[in-house]
């Protein structure tokens, strides 16, 4: 847009006019948002920082789920509605395994906690990964050539089935997970305690993101994934086993959901059977915000959404407050999809709109 | 997989081939064998229904046998051939309140649905037909249909309750006390107004979003379906205005009236309240079906089918994409609004908690089960699933518990059952139970072709 | 081409169907005395009747039998059965059967308006139903009362052991326009309750707050009918006592984390938080986050939406320690002689030995309803009229009278405190009328 203007040597006003009203509107919104944040920062700096930190942590949890959505969408162009519920089952299996099988609770020693959590992480990843692969095999693969809507509808059905399993296992009310991490603060910033659970979330998410990016960019399997995402038939002609690649992608996405489930259980200490649906939608919004199919974009979008959520609820100067949070998140989703469907980091494709 | 020679098939192929086997064998039959097989299947269906409840089996048998009346209808009354089945169904439906209590019990499903449940089934049928126009005819996946239901319900609530107690407008309302404040307009007028208003909302929602691709459109409509109920819940203080009374909902809502008889009170033991509601939902259903059929066979309907099958080709043929899609959306919204308004009047209340994504998915599953694009299939799917939801599942649980002594709580599995219905339908018979031939061809085109890369490679 | 076969077939078909319709018409319905028609099995249990012959009439209870409060509501049903059995299933000349109906769905684990409305229609249309004990949630009552009020054969009597929303029986601050008249379209009252309404509970909580010496209260609500109502009443009473409320906002029950909200509360400098809502709206997580951000010194006060206390302890764990929960009514140990006898006898029939306070209220409701049936002439309208004239002397809940609005004149509110994961009675407050009304 603006670059075109420079190349053509027209004034910036003409450039803006050519680009249209939508980007100008978008910039205006963003500017207002930043202004509102700045006012709040000036008025209550310590609260702002604590709310921002919480927002980032929450955003990182969303990011792990969003990565799974992005991976699957990139390769199959399918919005896997069931992904959020795989995440919920990951929370459940982590809780069930850690609390009931190993017997971790608030009184366990540090060494037990580390070993126990590591084991639980492994169990959650394997369980969710295999679950995701099975779902793909049973529900999505037979519909690979069907019209676009068919696997989408099947995904909704699958989501319902998984939610029902969760409802039967967890009950309709939230279940409290014992707090096995030390309750003190890691460090304190301006009166706000940065908890161990937040640290673990941050310490886990970033390495996973980098690991995933390495996997996709540098390994052979990753190349196969990228090739299949670009063009399935051409990839098959090049000798890539497309079915196996897709299954592998679902395995990775499922494992990510499992990790997210465990982290969520640790961070929020309350799990419920419909958290998958709620957080799945938020994570999908985040993936779209960052650019669907783009891995760092998914995490960036997720962090932004987490920040927006926490700012909405935590700041006091003209904040809409938590009764509007859901509407705001969905409104963002709708605005992004309507005005900039390729997201922040994505590339505009001809059918992107 | 079975196209590979024997020595190259993996050891587990027999098990995975099971899903594909029936379809392959069906395709291998010739026409006469297929007719015989169809006859056997139909007989099995009638027997099963007879076992469950003899009236059901008898009805289905009569409907199947009705086609044999065709030769006896002279050609100058050829239209009557198509009218036999609908006439029978109409008679059975209209007289239902008279005999439904003496029908006895169904095995497994418990008592036949009572008149209240029948009204709810009717309302869901209207909503499903509306969604069928959007999803089935035009192929636009709409996951936020509950927003239209909510809009219709709240319109009815605004125009037929004490919500706006400062006003005192009374147009044709029956059975409302003289001193009751608020706006009270005749429900029949409100149905129309609600439909039109909801259609307007549908157009407003559709304008920016309908140019999106299918799956993005689904998510956006889901978003609207979540935003509207939250606005309703927070609506008691929208910049100081109490629009929706927030979580307390708007209750009570006036009932419709006809010749001075208010539907909530009824009149005597013949025209009881629920019967009146039921007898008036039937014409609404019939009008909806009529509109749907006429739309399908109109130029607009053909345009919808064209964009459903291939948007690019349709655009190349001169079909105005945005306008056609918006019409589909608006029409679907209209019927959703009418159904929502009638339902709100029937329940005499509307709460923001009534509206959530599950209802959108529920109506979608009705459309899928019945057959996307086929009005009769959708009617059957809607009636059946609505019955299951209201009474059927609880009754099934009750029967199972009594027979086997278990303590199953079948409503706890409701999500799973609907999810399984959706998944199984999409996997095995995506065109639905009673499909149109065109739809069946659409869904199975290309599915039977062996994709290039299903062939096994020895290298990774 | 002869037209007779076509016409004959069509006429024959129509005749057959018309005969079926006419001949089978009008069936069903109760026959002579002793044949009460049961409510549908999809919502209600089988008829509980162990008397002689067959029941003439049915009383139904409408309670949410799923979700976290299940233990409470199931026990309430058992208490009604206990009382009915004590009366030998008779009220006056009528044999009374009982059906327990559910207004909750499994998914929500709480009451659902569809079920409330379907149940209401069932009660209204079934002329054997002579009285309804319910509901537990005020939102459900808002749906059921008008339908029962307009039922054929006169308004159907309804008595609630637990509804606290003010607008159901009388107007005032915190109620919407047109309440309570809009729930009684026929003009006649048919609904009473034996617990104090939320204006009393709000006043009691405000007095409790004052007695604790708290100065700055932040008020939260769950944006549902009950929570918003009780929070508004609490704020009004606080204002009358001259205590400042530094904030009034809602919490989003679907959120994963309330630290943002808690930070906002901390910013306002509140030393106590009033949590007006139901515990099943993610109340446990809210309590956890409030305590983690505001520290253990913050005082948390909640109304009876946060019962059963076991659900709060399950949901919030250690964070709930020291929290105050107020419940309209007396604790079991403060009941009169008859009440204590009931607790003892009924507790003996329960496997856990524990008697939830609401069970006593359900039992008293059953007693009141049976007395009204006895005093009436057996018709639905008259039972409702008698219900409004209830005057209990030395009942399970002591002595009280029901006024013309359907409210009780005995309005104690008990404040419990959570200590060691268990509920302990802290004190009982009966707020003065001028604080509530004035």
């Amino acid at each position: 847009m603006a670059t075109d203007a420079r190349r053509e040597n027209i004034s910036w006003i003409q450039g803006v006019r050519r680009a249209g009203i939508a980007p100008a509107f978008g910039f205006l919104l963003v500017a207002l948002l930043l202004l509102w944040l700045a006012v709040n920062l000036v008025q209550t700096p310590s609260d702002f920082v604590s709310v921002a930190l919480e927002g980032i942590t929450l955003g990182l949890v969303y990011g792990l789920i969003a990565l799974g959505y992005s991976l699957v969408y990139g390769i199959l162009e399918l919005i896997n509605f069931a992904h959020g519920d795989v995440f919920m089952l990951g929370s459940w299996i982590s809780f069930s395994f850690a609390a009931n099988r190993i017997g971790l609770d608030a009184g366990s020693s540090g060494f037990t906690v580390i070993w126990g959590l590591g084991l639980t992480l492994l169990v959650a990843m394997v369980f969710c990964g295999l679950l995701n692969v099975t779902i793909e095999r049973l529900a999505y693969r037979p519909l690979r050539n069907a019209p676009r809507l068919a696997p989408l509808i099947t995904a909704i059905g699958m989501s319902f089935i998984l939610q029902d399993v969760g409802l039967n296992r967890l009950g309709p009310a939230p279940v409290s997970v014992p707090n096995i991490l030390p309750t003190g603060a890691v460090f304190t910033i301006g009166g706000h305690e940065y908890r161990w659970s937040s640290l673990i979330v941050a310490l886990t998410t970033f390495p996973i993101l980098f690991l995933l990016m390495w996997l996709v960019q540098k390994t052979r399997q990753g190349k196969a994934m990228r090739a299949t995402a670009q063009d399935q038939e051409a990839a098959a002609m090049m000798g890539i086993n497309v079915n196996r690649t897709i299954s592998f992608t679902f395995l990775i996405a499922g494992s990510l959901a499992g990790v997210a489930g465990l982290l969520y259980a640790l961070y929020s200490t309350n799990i419920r059977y419909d958290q998958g649906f709620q957080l799945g939608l938020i994570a999908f919004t985040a993936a779209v915000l960052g650019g669907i199919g783009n891995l760092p974009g998914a995490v960036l979008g997720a962090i932004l959404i987490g920040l927006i959520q926490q700012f909405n609820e935590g700041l006091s100067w003209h904040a809409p407050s938590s009764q509007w949070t859901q509407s705001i998140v969905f409104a963002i989703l709708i605005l992004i999809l309507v005005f900039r469907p390729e997201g922040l980091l994505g590339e505009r494709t001809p059918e992107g709109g | 997989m079975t196209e590979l020679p024997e020595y190259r098939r993996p050891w587990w192929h027999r098990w995975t081939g099971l899903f594909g086997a029936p379809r392959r064998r069906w395709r291998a039959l010739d026409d006469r064998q297929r007719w015989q097989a169809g006859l056997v299947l139909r007989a099995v269906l009638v027997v099963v229904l007879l076992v469950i409840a003899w009236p059901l089996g008898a009805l289905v048998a009569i409907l199947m046998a009705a086609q044999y009346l065709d030769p006896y209808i002279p050609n100058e009354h050829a239209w009557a051939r198509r009218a036999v089945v609908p006439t029978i169904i109409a008679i059975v439906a209209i007289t239902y309140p008279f005999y439904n209590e003496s029908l006895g019990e169904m095995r497994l499903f418990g008592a036949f649905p009572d008149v209240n449940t029948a009204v709810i089934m009717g309302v869901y049928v209207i909503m499903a037909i509306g969604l069928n126009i959007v999803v089935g005819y035009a192929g636009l996946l709409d996951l936020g249909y509950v927003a239209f239901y909510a809009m219709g319900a709240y319109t009815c609530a605004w125009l037929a309750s004490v919500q706006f107690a400062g006003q005192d407008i009374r147009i044709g309302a029956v059975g409302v006390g003289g001193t009751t404040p608020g706006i009270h307009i005749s429900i029949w007028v409100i149905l129309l107004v609600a439909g039109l208003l909801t259609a307007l909302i549908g157009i407003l929602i559709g304008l920016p979003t309908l140019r999106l691709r299918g799956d993005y459109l689904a998510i956006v409509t889901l978003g609207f379906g979540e935003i509207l109920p939250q606005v309703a819940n927070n609506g008691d203080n929208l910049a100081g205005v109490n629009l929706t009374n927030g979580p307390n909902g708007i209750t009570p809502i006036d009932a419709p009236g006809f010749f001075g008889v208010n539907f909530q009170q009824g009149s005597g033991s013949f025209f009881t309240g629920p019967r009146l509601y039921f007898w008036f939902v039937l014409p609404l259903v019939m009008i909806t079906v009529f509109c749907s059929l006429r739309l399908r066979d109109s130029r607009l309907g053909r345009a919808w089918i064209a964009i459903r099958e291939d948007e690019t080709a349709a655009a190349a043929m001169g079909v105005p994409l945005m306008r056609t899609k918006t019409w589909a959306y608006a029409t679907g919204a209209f019927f959703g609004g009418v159904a929502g308004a009638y339902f709100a009047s029937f329940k005499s209340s509307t709460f923001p908690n009534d509206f959530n994504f599950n209802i959108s998915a529920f109506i979608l599953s009705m459309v899928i089960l019945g057959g996307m694009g086929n009005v009769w299939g959708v009617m059957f799917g809607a009636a059946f699933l609505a019955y299951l939801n209201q009474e059927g599942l609880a009754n099934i649980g009750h029967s199972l518990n009594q027979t086997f002594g278990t303590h199953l709580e079948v409503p706890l599995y409701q999500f799973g059952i609907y999810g399984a219905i959706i998944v199984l339908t999409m996997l095995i018979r995506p065109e639905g139970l009673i499909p149109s031939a065109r739809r069946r061809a659409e869904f199975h085109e290309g599915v039977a072709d062996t994709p290039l890369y299903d062939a096994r490679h020895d290298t990774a | 081409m002869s037209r007779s076969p076509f016409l004959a077939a069509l006429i024959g078909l129509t005749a057959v169907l018309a005969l079926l319709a006419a001949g089978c018409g009008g069936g069903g319905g109760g026959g002579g005395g002793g044949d009460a028609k049961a409510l549908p099995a999809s919502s209600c249990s089988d008829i509980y009747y162990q008397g002689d012959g067959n029941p003439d009439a049915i009383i139904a209870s409408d309670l949410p039998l799923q979700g976290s409060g299940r233990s409470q509501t199931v026990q309430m049903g058992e208490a009604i059965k206990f009382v009915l059995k004590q009366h030998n299933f008779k009220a006056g000349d009528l044999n009374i059967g009982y059906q327990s109906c559910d207004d909750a769905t499994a998914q929500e684990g709480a009451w659902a308006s569809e079920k409330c409305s379907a149940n209401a229609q069932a009660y209204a249309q079934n002329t054997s139903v002579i009285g309804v004990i319910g509901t537990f949630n005020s939102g459900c009552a808002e749906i059921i009362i008008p339908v029962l009020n307009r039922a054929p054969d006169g308004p159907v009597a309804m008595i609630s052991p637990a509804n606290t929303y003010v607008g159901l029986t009388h107007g005032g601050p915190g109620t919407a326009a047109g309440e309570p008249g809009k729930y009684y379209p026929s003009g006649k009252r048919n609904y009473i309750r034996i617990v104090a309404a939320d204006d009393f509970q709000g006043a009691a909580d405000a007095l409790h707050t004052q007695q604790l010496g708290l100065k700055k209260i932040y008020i939260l609500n769950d944006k549902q009918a009950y929570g918003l109502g009780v929070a508004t009443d609490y704020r009004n009473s606080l204002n009358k006592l001259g205590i400042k409320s530094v904030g009034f906002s809602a919490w989003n029950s679907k959120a994963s984390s309330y630290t943002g909200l808690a930070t906002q509360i901390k910013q306002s400098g509140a030393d106590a938080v009033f949590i007006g809502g139901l515990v099943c709206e993610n109340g446990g997580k809210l309590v956890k986050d409030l305590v983690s951000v505001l520290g253990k010194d913050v005082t948390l006060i909640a109304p009876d939406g946060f019962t059963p206390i076991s659900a709060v302890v399950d949901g919030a764990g250690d964070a709930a320690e020291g929290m105050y929960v107020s419940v309209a009514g007396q604790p079991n140990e403060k009941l009169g002689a008859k009440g204590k006898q009931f607790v003892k006898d009924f507790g003996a029939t329960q496997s856990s030995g524990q008697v939830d306070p609401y069970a006593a209220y359900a039992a008293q409701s059953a007693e009141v309803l049976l007395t009204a049936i006895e005093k009436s002439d057996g018709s639905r309208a008259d039972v409702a009229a008698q219900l409004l004239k209830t005057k209990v002397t030395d009942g399970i809940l002591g002595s009280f009278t029901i006024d013309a609005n359907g409210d009780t004149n005995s309005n104690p509110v008990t404040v419990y405190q959570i200590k060691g994961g268990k509920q302990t009675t802290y004190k009982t407050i009966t707020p003065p009328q001028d604080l509530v009304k004035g």
Side-chain angles (χ1 to χ4, degrees), chain C residues 52-111:
Chain C
D52 313 315
N54 285 328
D56 298 310
I58 299 179
I59 56 176
S61 72
D62 191 278
L63 301 166
L65 297 174
Q66 322 245 13
S68 49
R70 189 188 153 89
S71 52
Q72 255 178 341
T73 46
V74 165
Q75 204 181 51
M76 286 166 81
E78 297 292 313
I80 299 175
K81 283 189 195 168
F82 181 80
V83 166
L84 195 57
K85 197 160 173 187
Q86 274 188 333
H87 281 250
N88 226 344
F89 300 92
K90 271 182 110 55
D93 291 329
L94 294 173
N95 296 334
I96 307 284
Y98 163 69
Q99 281 188 278
S100 162
C101 298
D102 188 5
D103 60 30
T105 54
Q107 288 91 8
E108 306 205 20
W111 70 277

Side-chain angles (χ1 to χ4, degrees), chain C residues 141-383:
Chain C
E142 292 179 19
I143 300 176
I144 298 188
I145 298 176
V147 176
L148 288 186
N149 194 262
R150 279 188 286 208
D153 284 359
V156 180
M158 179 160 158
I159 170 169
S160 172
N163 288 148
T164 54
Y165 178 63
V166 177
L168 291 172
T169 51
H170 61 269
T175 62
E179 286 179 343
K182 67 181 190 177
Y183 299 118
Y184 306 102
S186 75
K188 291 184 277 202
R189 295 279 184 133
N190 62 323
Y191 169 79
I192 73 171
R193 56 168 146 210
I194 56 176
V195 289
D198 277 333
D199 42 8
F200 282 92
Q201 198 173 159
D205 280 326
L207 279 171
H208 175 57
T209 313
Q210 190 187 47
Q211 285 159 9
L212 285 178
L214 300 163
K215 296 279 183 274
K216 289 180 173 179
I217 327 289
Y218 197 100
I219 307 180
L220 288 174
N221 71 84
D222 65 358
K223 207 78 179 127
Q224 303 289 322
Y226 161 77
L228 188 55
V230 74
T232 315
D233 287 316
Y234 177 72
R235 179 176 57 177
N236 292 341
S237 301
L238 269 192
N239 289 341
K240 280 188 209 144
L241 288 177
I243 306 179
K244 205 161 124 52
S245 74
V246 291
F248 189 92
S249 65
W251 82 80
N252 175 13
S253 61
K254 303 227 192 334
S256 329
S257 159
Y258 298 104
T259 44
L261 185 59
T263 311
Q264 209 180 49
I265 297 177
K266 188 167 173 189
Q267 217 271 313
S268 72
D271 48 12
V273 181
F274 180 82
I275 314 178
L278 296 171
V279 63
C280 49
E281 302 281 339
N282 220 0
K285 177 74 175 132
L286 177 64
V287 168
K288 270 192 203 172
D289 282 345
L290 284 174
V291 169
S292 92
V293 172
L294 297 168
K296 290 220 188 280
D297 297 331
V298 70
T299 314
L300 297 174
I301 308 177
D304 60 359
F306 269 66
T307 57
I309 304 236
S310 52
V312 180
V313 173
D314 281 340
D318 291 335
E321 196 64 20
M323 185 170 160
Y324 296 100
V325 178
S326 71
V327 180
Q330 296 275 17
N332 286 346
E333 50 270 22
K334 291 246 184 77
L335 293 173
K338 196 119 178 280
K340 289 218 177 83
Q341 186 66 38
F342 163 76
V343 170
K344 190 157 140 267
D345 295 334
F346 181 61
T349 67
Q350 297 295 296
S351 54
S352 65
Q354 301 284 353
V355 175
D356 190 277
Y358 275 117
Y361 277 75
Q364 177 71 81
S365 314
E367 295 267 1
V368 166
L369 185 59
L370 289 174
T371 314
I373 298 175
E374 213 178 296
K375 283 201 249 160
S376 75
D377 61 13
S379 72
R380 289 163 111 176
D382 204 36
V383 173

Side-chain angles (χ1 to χ4, degrees), chain B residues 54 62 69 71-77 80 84 88 91-92 95 98-99 101-102 114 116 120 124 149 162 165 181 230 233-236 245-255 262 264-265 272-274 277 343 346-349 351 353-354 356 358-359 389-391 394-395 398 402 409 411-412 414-415, chain C residues 1-3 5-7 9-10 13-14 17-18 20-21 24-29 37 40-46 65-66 70 105-108 111-115 117-118 121-122 125 139-140 142-143 146-147 150-152 165 174 176-179 182-183 185-186 222-226 228-229 252 254 281:
Chain B
W54 69 262
I62 292 179
L69 271 183
Y72 296 100
I73 300 175
N75 276 338
E76 55 258 29
H77 304 287
V84 172
I88 298 179
I91 295 178
V92 166
T95 53
F98 299 135
Y99 60 79
E101 278 162 27
S102 42
D114 60 5
N116 283 322
I120 297 179
Y124 274 111
Y149 164 31
V162 299
Q230 194 169 58
N233 201 24
N234 296 332
D236 52 353
N245 210 20
N248 284 318
I250 300 184
T251 166
I253 298 179
D254 304 336
N262 178 293
Q264 272 288 351
Q265 286 153 339
T272 64
Y277 273 113
F343 203 15
F346 173 68
K347 285 191 302 179
S348 185
S349 67
F351 289 86
N353 278 349
D354 295 347
N356 47 40
N358 294 339
I359 297 186
N389 190 33
Q390 279 295 116
E391 287 190 7
N395 284 351
H398 201 72
Q402 277 186 331
E409 281 232 37
L412 208 57
Q414 192 176 347
F415 268 153
Chain C
M1 179 149 341
S2 162
R3 291 161 63 170
F6 159 52
L7 276 177
L10 203 55
L13 195 63
T14 322
L17 288 170
L20 268 176
C24 306
K37 202 167 64 152
S42 53
S43 307
C44 305
S45 67
D46 295 327
L65 297 174
Q66 322 245 13
R70 189 188 153 89
T105 54
Q107 288 91 8
E108 306 205 20
W111 70 277
S113 76
E114 302 250 313
K115 284 215 92 166
S117 136
Q121 298 279 5
Q125 300 300 325
C140 194
E142 292 179 19
I143 300 176
V147 176
R150 279 188 286 208
Y165 178 63
E179 286 179 343
K182 67 181 190 177
Y183 299 118
S186 75
D222 65 358
K223 207 78 179 127
Q224 303 289 322
Y226 161 77
L228 188 55
N252 175 13
K254 303 227 192 334
E281 302 281 339

